[in-house]
Amino acid sequence: MMPVANDLRRFPRFFYPASALLSSEQTLPALPRAIGRSVVLTKDLSRTGIALLHTDQFYPGEVLKLWLPCGEKQLLVVRCKQTAEACFEAAGFFV
């Protein structure tokens, strides 16, 4: 995805197709998750956040740990939507 002139984001997003390793660091109290790691596909990346594709649904407020080719990052999930059967697009800010 190329930056768009009328995009109101603070920093531009760039298409970033890559595999990353993910683990759930902090989940919601009503939503216990099994501890473990899984592979996700990244979609786009900016200086402050990332969008990724995963088979599980995440919820706003969850904190995920990502191991990307460029290093390790923590992500605060702000949105997640289903894009296909067993495919969710989650996005968030780096913390």
Side-chain angles (χ1 to χ4, degrees):
M1 171 181 300
M2 295 299 296
V4 179
N6 63 354
D7 194 354
L8 299 177
R9 297 172 186 274
R10 290 187 339 189
F11 301 105
R13 292 179 296 170
F14 296 96
F15 183 60
Y16 184 69
S19 296
L21 193 60
L22 176 136
S23 70
S24 183
E25 288 290 297
Q26 177 183 338
T27 186
L28 303 175
L31 183 70
R33 288 198 188 270
I35 297 188
R37 294 182 179 162
S38 58
V39 175
V40 296
L41 299 175
T42 62
K43 186 177 171 195
D44 57 53
L45 175 74
S46 77
R47 188 184 304 179
T48 58
I50 194 167
L52 51 91
L53 299 173
H54 195 271
T55 56
D56 292 338
Q57 183 175 9
F58 298 106
Y59 295 92
E62 287 190 85
V63 177
L64 308 173
K65 182 179 265 187
L66 288 171
W67 287 270
L68 298 161
C70 59
E72 183 180 311
K73 297 282 189 181
Q74 280 193 328
L75 181 74
L76 175 64
V77 176
V78 294
R79 71 169 177 82
C80 185
K81 67 178 183 177
Q82 188 169 9
T83 58
E85 187 175 333
C87 183
F88 293 89
E89 179 185 321
F93 296 105
F94 296 126
V95 291

